[in-house]
Amino acid sequence: MPTRTARTAWNGTLEQGSGQVELSSSKVGTYEVSFPKRAADEAGGTTSPEELVAAAHSACYAMQLSAIIAEAGGTPQSLEVSADVSLGPDPAGGFRLTGIQLTVRGEVEGLDAAGFEKAAQDAKVACPVSKALTGVDISLDAALES
Protein backbone atom coordinates (compact mmCIF):
# COMPACT_ATOMS: atom_id res chain seq x y z
CA MET A 1 0.00 0.00 0.00
CA PRO A 2 1.29 3.51 -0.78
CA THR A 3 2.27 6.21 1.69
CA ARG A 4 0.36 9.49 1.40
CA THR A 5 1.90 12.87 2.18
CA ALA A 6 0.69 16.25 3.37
CA ARG A 7 2.93 19.23 4.11
CA THR A 8 2.43 22.35 6.20
CA ALA A 9 4.33 25.61 5.83
CA TRP A 10 3.95 27.75 8.97
CA ASN A 11 5.07 31.34 9.55
CA GLY A 12 5.08 33.16 12.88
CA THR A 13 4.02 32.39 16.42
CA LEU A 14 1.09 30.24 17.45
CA GLU A 15 -1.15 33.22 18.22
CA GLN A 16 -0.06 35.54 15.39
CA GLY A 17 1.07 33.06 12.74
CA SER A 18 -0.65 31.12 10.03
CA GLY A 19 0.11 28.37 7.59
CA GLN A 20 -0.90 26.44 4.56
CA VAL A 21 -1.57 22.70 4.51
CA GLU A 22 -0.86 21.09 1.15
CA LEU A 23 -2.30 17.71 0.22
CA SER A 24 0.93 16.75 -1.53
CA SER A 25 0.17 13.22 -2.73
CA SER A 26 -3.10 14.00 -4.47
CA LYS A 27 -2.30 17.62 -5.30
CA VAL A 28 -6.00 18.46 -4.83
CA GLY A 29 -5.43 21.58 -2.81
CA THR A 30 -3.69 23.82 -0.35
CA TYR A 31 -5.67 25.09 2.64
CA GLU A 32 -5.14 27.94 5.10
CA VAL A 33 -4.71 27.19 8.84
CA SER A 34 -4.36 29.43 11.89
CA PHE A 35 -4.64 28.83 15.61
CA PRO A 36 -7.03 31.74 16.36
CA LYS A 37 -9.48 30.45 13.73
CA ARG A 38 -8.89 26.87 14.92
CA ALA A 39 -10.11 27.92 18.37
CA ALA A 40 -12.98 30.12 17.11
CA ASP A 41 -16.58 29.05 16.56
CA GLU A 42 -16.43 30.21 12.93
CA ALA A 43 -13.59 28.87 10.80
CA GLY A 44 -13.70 31.85 8.45
CA GLY A 45 -12.39 30.00 5.39
CA THR A 46 -9.59 28.13 7.14
CA THR A 47 -9.35 24.46 8.02
CA SER A 48 -7.87 22.85 11.12
CA PRO A 49 -6.19 19.61 12.13
CA GLU A 50 -9.52 18.55 13.66
CA GLU A 51 -11.41 19.10 10.39
CA LEU A 52 -8.74 17.18 8.50
CA VAL A 53 -8.99 14.30 11.00
CA ALA A 54 -12.80 14.40 10.60
CA ALA A 55 -12.44 14.19 6.82
CA ALA A 56 -10.03 11.27 7.07
CA HIS A 57 -12.18 9.44 9.61
CA SER A 58 -15.48 9.85 7.76
CA ALA A 59 -13.94 8.69 4.45
CA CYS A 60 -12.14 5.71 6.00
CA TYR A 61 -15.20 4.67 8.01
CA ALA A 62 -17.46 4.81 4.93
CA MET A 63 -15.08 2.56 3.00
CA GLN A 64 -14.75 0.10 5.90
CA LEU A 65 -18.51 0.00 6.48
CA SER A 66 -19.21 -0.69 2.81
CA ALA A 67 -16.82 -3.66 2.95
CA ILE A 68 -18.35 -5.06 6.15
CA ILE A 69 -21.91 -4.68 4.80
CA ALA A 70 -20.90 -6.68 1.72
CA GLU A 71 -19.23 -9.35 3.89
CA ALA A 72 -22.51 -9.62 5.85
CA GLY A 73 -24.43 -10.23 2.63
CA GLY A 74 -25.83 -6.75 2.16
CA THR A 75 -25.49 -4.25 -0.65
CA PRO A 76 -24.89 -0.62 0.31
CA GLN A 77 -26.87 1.71 -1.95
CA SER A 78 -25.71 4.86 -0.16
CA LEU A 79 -23.91 5.76 3.05
CA GLU A 80 -23.80 9.25 4.52
CA VAL A 81 -21.08 9.53 7.17
CA SER A 82 -20.15 12.58 9.21
CA ALA A 83 -17.45 12.86 11.85
CA ASP A 84 -17.46 15.62 14.47
CA VAL A 85 -14.02 15.97 16.08
CA SER A 86 -13.75 18.01 19.29
CA LEU A 87 -10.67 19.77 20.65
CA GLY A 88 -10.35 20.63 24.31
CA PRO A 89 -7.90 21.18 27.13
CA ASP A 90 -5.63 18.30 28.10
CA PRO A 91 -5.36 17.84 31.89
CA ALA A 92 -1.65 17.19 31.33
CA GLY A 93 -1.31 20.58 29.61
CA GLY A 94 -2.06 21.96 26.18
CA PHE A 95 -4.87 20.55 24.09
CA ARG A 96 -6.09 17.15 22.94
CA LEU A 97 -8.83 15.60 20.86
CA THR A 98 -11.62 15.10 23.38
CA GLY A 99 -14.05 13.07 21.30
CA ILE A 100 -15.27 11.99 17.90
CA GLN A 101 -18.93 11.50 17.03
CA LEU A 102 -19.50 9.36 13.95
CA THR A 103 -22.98 9.54 12.45
CA VAL A 104 -23.98 7.24 9.61
CA ARG A 105 -27.22 6.92 7.71
CA GLY A 106 -27.49 4.22 5.12
CA GLU A 107 -29.65 2.74 2.45
CA VAL A 108 -28.75 -0.94 2.36
CA GLU A 109 -30.35 -3.92 0.67
CA GLY A 110 -30.15 -7.30 2.39
CA LEU A 111 -29.64 -6.16 6.01
CA ASP A 112 -32.21 -5.29 8.63
CA ALA A 113 -31.66 -2.57 11.26
CA ALA A 114 -29.90 -4.96 13.66
CA GLY A 115 -27.60 -6.21 10.90
CA PHE A 116 -26.78 -2.66 9.88
CA GLU A 117 -26.05 -1.67 13.49
CA LYS A 118 -23.70 -4.64 13.89
CA ALA A 119 -21.91 -3.80 10.65
CA ALA A 120 -21.63 -0.15 11.74
CA GLN A 121 -20.15 -1.10 15.13
CA ASP A 122 -17.74 -3.58 13.51
CA ALA A 123 -16.62 -0.89 11.04
CA LYS A 124 -15.92 1.51 13.90
CA VAL A 125 -13.49 -1.02 15.36
CA ALA A 126 -11.95 -2.15 12.04
CA CYS A 127 -11.48 1.26 10.38
CA PRO A 128 -7.72 2.04 10.17
CA VAL A 129 -8.30 5.67 11.20
CA SER A 130 -10.34 4.52 14.23
CA LYS A 131 -7.43 2.25 15.14
CA ALA A 132 -5.02 5.19 14.89
CA LEU A 133 -7.25 7.25 17.18
CA THR A 134 -7.64 4.72 20.01
CA GLY A 135 -6.75 7.37 22.59
CA VAL A 136 -9.91 9.33 21.70
CA ASP A 137 -13.45 8.41 22.76
CA ILE A 138 -15.32 7.54 19.54
CA SER A 139 -19.11 7.33 19.68
CA LEU A 140 -21.40 6.12 16.92
CA ASP A 141 -24.96 6.89 15.85
CA ALA A 142 -26.00 4.51 13.05
CA ALA A 143 -29.39 4.04 11.42
CA LEU A 144 -30.93 2.75 8.23
CA GLU A 145 -33.01 5.17 6.24
CA SER A 146 -36.33 3.93 4.95
Side-chain angles (χ1 to χ4, degrees):
M1 299 297 285
T3 298
R4 302 293 184 216
T5 304
R7 181 185 70 79
T8 299
W10 185 267
N11 297 300
T13 66
L14 176 65
E15 292 294 331
Q16 302 299 316
S18 64
Q20 299 80 38
V21 174
E22 173 190 272
L23 303 182
S24 306
S25 299
S26 63
K27 298 180 181 18
V28 297
T30 300
Y31 305 94
E32 298 295 318
V33 291
S34 83
F35 184 77
K37 290 188 179 181
R38 179 184 187 186
D41 288 334
E42 286 297 319
T46 66
T47 191
S48 67
E50 294 73 38
E51 185 176 40
L52 295 168
V53 167
H57 204 179
S58 66
C60 183
Y61 179 83
M63 291 179 201
Q64 188 68 56
L65 179 55
S66 70
I68 290 176
I69 288 170
E71 290 169 5
T75 303
Q77 300 300 309
S78 69
L79 299 172
E80 179 82 23
V81 179
S82 64
D84 298 316
V85 176
S86 299
L87 178 71
D90 185 341
F95 296 93
R96 64 183 217 88
L97 299 183
T98 57
I100 298 173
Q101 171 66 50
L102 290 172
T103 303
V104 59
R105 298 296 179 260
E107 292 181 28
V108 176
E109 292 179 3
L111 291 182
D112 61 9
F116 181 74
E117 175 68 28
K118 179 177 182 345
Q121 291 293 340
D122 290 350
K124 184 181 107 168
V125 173
C127 166
V129 172
S130 292
K131 291 176 183 179
L133 297 169
T134 56
V136 182
D137 179 42
I138 301 171
S139 56
L140 174 64
D141 173 10
L144 284 175
E145 293 187 332
S146 16

